[in-house]
Amino acid sequence: MTQLFAKMEIDRRLVGLAAVLLIIWIGFDIASGGRFITPRNIFNLSVQTASVAVMACGMVLIIVTRHIDLSVGSILGVLAMIMGVIQADILPQFLGYNHPMTWIITLMAGLAIGALIGGIQGVAVGYLGVPAFIVTLGGLLVWRGAAWWVTQGRTVAPLDANFMLMGGGIHGTIGATWSWIVAAIAICAIIYNALISRRRRLAFEFPVKPVWAEWTNVCLMAGLVLAGIGTLNAYMLPSRAAEKILENRGIPVTPENLEISHGIAIPLLIVALVAIVLTIVAKRTRFGRYVFAIGGNPQAAELAGINVKRMTVAVFALMGVLCAISAAISSARLQSAGNDLGTLDELRVIAAVVIGGTSLAGGLGTIYGALIGALVMQSLQSGMALLGVDTSLQSIVIGLVLVLAVFSDKYFHRRYSDPSA
């Protein structure tokens, strides 16, 4: 089996993580009487995971550079409150409610403020030399207090109708047809990437996978895409919601027309876009190479001419931008911005990244691993909630999973860095 994985160039930790996720799903499905692995629950799981998954993508780069960010939940909270005030209190005075530009202005303001907050913390870490643990621990308190100060503790609502589409729900999906189109595009991209990667390796006379292994990988990934889209399309809109949509479109209401699929939720599309962009950045750009070089050996990277301080600021600023995207998803999903938004999200994000194979020692990590880690964490939480497990026990389980993840990271790092261990 090890030789098979080696020929297919499949990460053994990724296979183990996927197996753990499958065991969790099957276990909760059996315990809940078949209610966990259903189109409805998978759809809800994808939407609930989106916010943490977006931040986990950025946390990979933070931890790879040997830093940590404990403030992401608080940054999410303050950005959600700021964006809520902008679209609910400020812009309506000039544009009115539900103006087409409201959500764009709101999101752009959130992204800019998020980059500023992350950049400030990056300056403190990179240029002032304060440990990231201390800077972001202080940020956890500062930005959580700032979230309360922005609105003096009140919940901000209602939010812009177009803005709320980013949270998913009945209207925040793209339907069955566009979902299959997205699936076709994804499969074409998988095939194209496999062909281009193989051609590049051959051009530089690098070793390549056997043809059968190459196409097995392609078929596996294409199969996962089709299975995922098929499951999401199997979740139908409630009959009343379907009737309302048909009436608004001027389509006759018949039993056949009422079968309207949710399809892919917009938050899931956002996660996919963020993951693809950051994967390309990490693997194909100078910025990504610098990030992993710094994580491998900061002193050597600096001697090689990499501006480590500036890179540190850039990575933290990027984390702030991703927190803004997560804040938009979270507040849009809840259709309001409350002061408790993002509470303990830093725990979930860090746990997802470490579970996904990112080494706390730096220099090692993948975006797709973090996404699976986020799905594992949310599956545990959703499964326990479905079974009616007390909230306090849920926290205990999540905490134990985090400790176990760190232990496995240390064990894996020690075993494969020292073959004699």
Side-chain angles (χ1 to χ4, degrees), residues 61-67 125 286-316 361-364:
L61 303 183
I62 293 283
I63 295 180
V64 162
T65 55
R66 301 190 179 187
H67 295 302
V125 175
R286 183 169 58 182
F287 178 87
R289 290 192 292 270
Y290 283 1
V291 166
F292 281 87
I294 293 170
N297 192 322
Q299 291 76 25
E302 192 163 10
L303 291 174
I306 298 175
N307 192 327
V308 176
K309 296 178 181 179
R310 187 170 62 189
M311 286 293 299
T312 300
V313 176
V315 170
F316 274 92
L364 178 65

Side-chain angles (χ1 to χ4, degrees), residues 81 84-85 88-89 147-148 150-157 337-339:
M81 296 300 286
V85 169
D89 296 343
W148 187 92
V150 169
T151 59
Q152 297 300 308
R154 72 180 177 91
T155 297
V156 181
N339 286 280

Side-chain angles (χ1 to χ4, degrees), residues 152-346:
Q152 297 300 308
R154 72 180 177 91
T155 297
V156 181
L159 302 184
D160 178 74
N162 294 316
F163 183 87
M164 287 191 292
L165 295 179
M166 289 186 286
I170 292 177
H171 300 288
T173 61
I174 63 174
T177 301
W178 279 104
S179 295
W180 287 121
I181 292 173
V182 170
I185 294 172
I187 292 173
C188 290
I190 290 170
I191 297 173
Y192 175 79
N193 182 66
L195 293 174
I196 291 299
S197 298
R198 187 175 185 85
R199 183 179 300 175
R200 285 175 177 170
R201 288 192 174 193
L202 290 172
F204 290 98
E205 298 183 354
F206 290 164
V208 295
K209 295 190 288 288
V211 175
W212 66 265
E214 193 81 66
W215 287 105
T216 299
N217 286 346
V218 169
C219 291
L220 285 174
M221 289 186 285
L224 289 174
V225 170
L226 292 175
I229 301 301
T231 301
L232 295 176
N233 282 340
Y235 180 33
M236 301 297 173
L237 289 175
S239 57
R240 290 185 179 180
E243 287 179 7
K244 188 174 181 180
I245 291 175
L246 292 175
E247 290 172 357
N248 292 336
R249 296 177 180 176
I251 301 174
V253 178
T254 63
E256 294 78 13
N257 290 342
L258 286 176
E259 296 291 322
I260 301 177
S261 299
H262 278 80
I264 303 174
I266 291 177
L268 187 58
L269 288 178
I270 295 174
V271 172
L273 180 61
V274 169
I276 291 170
V277 170
L278 288 187
T279 298
I280 294 173
V281 167
K283 291 186 174 182
R284 300 292 176 85
T285 68
R286 183 169 58 182
F287 178 87
R289 290 192 292 270
Y290 283 1
V291 166
F292 281 87
I294 293 170
N297 192 322
Q299 291 76 25
E302 192 163 10
L303 291 174
I306 298 175
N307 192 327
V308 176
K309 296 178 181 179
R310 187 170 62 189
M311 286 293 299
T312 300
V313 176
V315 170
F316 274 92
L318 176 60
M319 187 72 249
V321 169
L322 296 178
C323 286
I325 296 174
S326 292
I329 293 173
S330 297
S331 58
R333 183 168 68 89
L334 298 176
Q335 302 182 6
S336 63
N339 286 280
D340 60 341
L341 207 60
T343 302
L344 295 182
D345 270 6
E346 54 277 344

